[in-house]
Amino acid sequence: NTSTGSGLDRVEGRYCGSAGAGAINVNGAPLTLTNSTLQASSSSGIRILNSNPTLTTILFKDNVVAASMDLNSNPVISGVTMTNNGRNALVVDGGTMTNGGVWDDPNITYLVNNAVTVPVGKTLTIATGQIVKFREFGSYGMTVNGTLAATGTAGQPVIFTTSREDAVGGDTYNDGGIPSDAYAGQWDSIRFESTSIGSVLNNVEVRYGGSS
């Protein structure tokens, strides 16, 4: 995490990702990645840890996972194309946030891979048009002990749904898109506990949750 000021433009990373590493790993460092292709990684095209990189005009192709990050990262992502990845999404680790977060990358679907907790005194902000999918059949959802601020618009709502719904956010599992594959109870819920204060949900859609 001593790296500073790095920029990659018109770069192609191919056939890497051994030992669970992404083709590009950003660990606590600033990075600007533009006009580039990340292809055929045996894990993530890019792995983001404790970092806030800027990714613009990126093709993720033939990776096991297009991109992944931990809960301490807040990337800025735009102009993304995802083709034939095992997970056509930004896969988000589960756990408890330590710094809060801002999920403001509507150009890429967030796929929450395990249960997420927003702790007391911290805020998770989810911006207009962001699609958040929760991995199915594991009773995974979100517990809000702090604050959740999710604000969409009538034309671009914030959507919380199952990873099996391809009608929004694209073909997440790269399985050809099976509309009937999404049904009620595939993920848990968004829970607001007694310590939660100041949460706002505006123009939000919550779909296919409610598992026991």
Side-chain angles (χ1 to χ4, degrees):
N1 62 3
T2 57
S3 174
T4 62
S6 295
L8 301 175
D9 183 51
R10 303 186 189 280
V11 166
E12 296 188 10
R14 306 179 182 179
Y15 303 107
C16 41
S18 65
I24 293 177
N25 279 274
V26 190
N27 188 0
L31 173 68
T32 299
L33 177 65
T34 53
N35 305 307
S36 294
T37 297
L38 300 177
Q39 181 175 357
S41 170
S42 63
S43 55
S44 302
I46 188 168
R47 174 66 174 158
I48 304 168
L49 297 167
N50 197 34
S51 305
N52 307 316
T54 298
L55 313 179
T56 307
T57 315
I58 308 300
L59 171 61
F60 295 100
K61 183 178 180 181
D62 300 330
N63 304 288
V64 171
V65 173
S68 65
M69 74 173 190
D70 67 3
L71 290 173
N72 293 323
S73 297
N74 291 299
V76 177
I77 302 174
S78 62
V80 166
T81 302
M82 294 179 289
T83 303
N84 200 39
N85 302 281
R87 299 289 183 269
N88 288 310
L90 173 62
V91 176
V92 182
D93 298 349
T96 299
M97 292 181 155
T98 57
N99 301 314
V102 179
W103 294 358
D104 186 11
D105 305 294
N107 195 229
I108 193 168
T109 297
Y110 277 45
L111 174 57
V112 178
N113 207 37
N114 212 320
V116 169
T117 298
V118 182
V120 173
K122 303 299 180 183
T123 298
L124 172 60
T125 300
I126 303 179
T128 299
Q130 186 67 59
I131 296 170
V132 180
K133 297 185 178 183
F134 291 87
R135 186 159 62 93
E136 78 285 5
F137 308 137
S139 296
Y140 302 127
M142 183 179 294
T143 299
V144 183
N145 295 319
T147 302
L148 174 63
T151 303
T153 65
Q156 292 183 297
V158 174
I159 298 176
F160 299 95
T161 189
T162 171
S163 54
R164 291 288 179 181
E165 184 183 6
D166 294 336
V168 294
D171 185 3
T172 305
Y173 283 151
N174 200 44
D175 57 6
I178 306 172
S180 62
D181 212 25
Y183 52 82
Q186 286 193 344
W187 62 284
D188 190 2
S189 62
I190 302 171
R191 302 172 186 264
F192 295 90
E193 301 295 350
S194 61
T195 56
S196 176
I197 58 172
S199 292
V200 176
L201 303 179
N202 185 27
N203 284 302
V204 166
E205 297 182 12
V206 182
R207 307 179 179 185
Y208 302 110
S211 69
S212 58

